[in-house]
Amino acid sequence: MTTAQLSLEHIIKPSSITNGKAPVLFMFHGYGSNEEDLFSFAPELDDKLCVISVQAPYPMQPFGHAWYAINFDDVHGKWSDDKQAIESRDKIVKFIDEACNAYGLDGNNVTLLGFSQGTILSYAVALSYPEKIRNVVALSGYINEGIIAPNYKVKNHSSLNIYASHGQVDQVIPPEWAQKAPDILKSLRINYVYEEFPVGHGVAPQNFYSFKKWLEDKI
């Protein structure tokens, strides 16, 4: 399948489905990485899925990309550019619609898979626009309520499924931040699974097989 010229750079693994519209999984990498990173998962996932791995819009020096800036200063310490994150959230929503149209995919069977900053954006997209997303695989990230649409709590999230996981010794994003997700998801009546693994800021093999099995049951 030829990659279409859409609003965000991406790479694609086509679905095995040739008749009808295929379910689609969008991948969103972490800060300073690129679209090749998570794409290594693609051959191991259900071949019915069309997998589209997306490059974040903001280039970093000397290499890599980001969904939004993370700044360090003496006054605030480490802080995220929420305005830029909201812009990326909306770029992703636009891109999902573009890709489903361009590649003839099932817009009613959309899964987001994120890692770290990509997870923070995946949560923001799914909780802001639950009518567009069916499943989220949220790896090593957390929910930033500051970048979710203001009216998200009144929306119907009952059709959304979320798998979230985190490393117990993650030194980049503290486990305590990720551990707030279950209470938020529960309050929105979202069907979720939350797991922790004895690793740092990464995806252990047992973590991969756990979310792979979860995903196979959802698509």
Side-chain angles (χ1 to χ4, degrees):
M1 183 184 289
T2 304
T3 304
Q5 293 295 310
L6 305 180
S7 60
L8 291 173
E9 294 289 325
H10 59 287
I11 49 180
I12 185 167
K13 181 181 86 69
S15 166
S16 62
I17 295 173
T18 53
N19 294 320
K21 295 188 172 187
V24 57
L25 181 146
F26 292 93
M27 294 177 159
F28 303 103
H29 63 76
Y31 181 78
S33 189
N34 62 38
E35 73 279 22
E36 297 281 353
D37 186 17
L38 297 173
F39 200 61
S40 59
F41 291 155
E44 304 296 325
L45 299 176
D46 193 307
D47 63 6
K48 293 195 300 293
L49 283 167
C50 174
V51 178
I52 299 177
S53 191
V54 189
Q55 178 181 280
Y58 300 106
M60 297 176 63
Q61 296 299 329
F63 51 78
H65 289 75
W67 296 101
Y68 55 88
I70 298 175
N71 300 295
F72 303 86
D73 63 44
D74 294 337
V75 178
H76 302 99
K78 180 179 174 183
W79 58 279
S80 299
D81 188 334
D82 281 1
K83 181 174 180 291
Q84 209 171 46
I86 290 168
E87 290 170 0
S88 281
R89 180 197 75 197
D90 294 339
K91 288 176 191 287
I92 288 171
V93 173
K94 176 186 175 186
F95 177 78
I96 289 170
D97 289 340
E98 286 178 349
C100 287
N101 290 330
Y103 298 118
L105 303 168
D106 185 353
N108 294 315
N109 196 348
V110 172
T111 297
L112 309 182
L113 184 152
F115 175 77
S116 194
Q117 200 178 68
T119 285
I120 296 166
L121 264 295
S122 296
Y123 273 136
V125 170
L127 298 182
S128 297
Y129 306 101
E131 68 280 4
K132 289 181 172 288
I133 310 300
R134 179 178 290 189
N135 308 303
V136 178
V137 177
L139 307 172
S140 302
Y142 65 95
I143 296 173
N144 177 0
E145 293 187 273
I147 65 170
I148 304 174
N151 64 339
Y152 81 96
K153 289 183 180 177
V154 301
K155 293 199 172 187
N156 180 3
H157 296 82
S158 61
S159 297
L160 195 55
N161 305 294
I162 293 182
Y163 172 95
S165 63
H166 211 80
Q168 292 169 332
V169 288
D170 191 325
Q171 294 176 313
V172 177
I173 295 177
E176 295 77 26
W177 294 13
Q179 289 161 1
K180 294 176 182 176
D183 285 343
I184 296 170
L185 301 179
K186 203 178 299 178
S187 72
L188 297 171
R189 296 181 171 81
I190 292 173
N191 177 30
Y192 75 90
V193 171
Y194 178 82
E195 296 185 318
E196 292 187 354
F197 295 88
V199 295
H201 195 61
V203 182
Q206 62 266 42
N207 189 177
F208 172 77
Y209 291 115
S210 185
F211 83 68
K212 178 185 175 185
K213 181 178 184 307
W214 178 89
L215 195 53
E216 285 168 353
D217 293 338
K218 301 301 177 191
I219 59 167

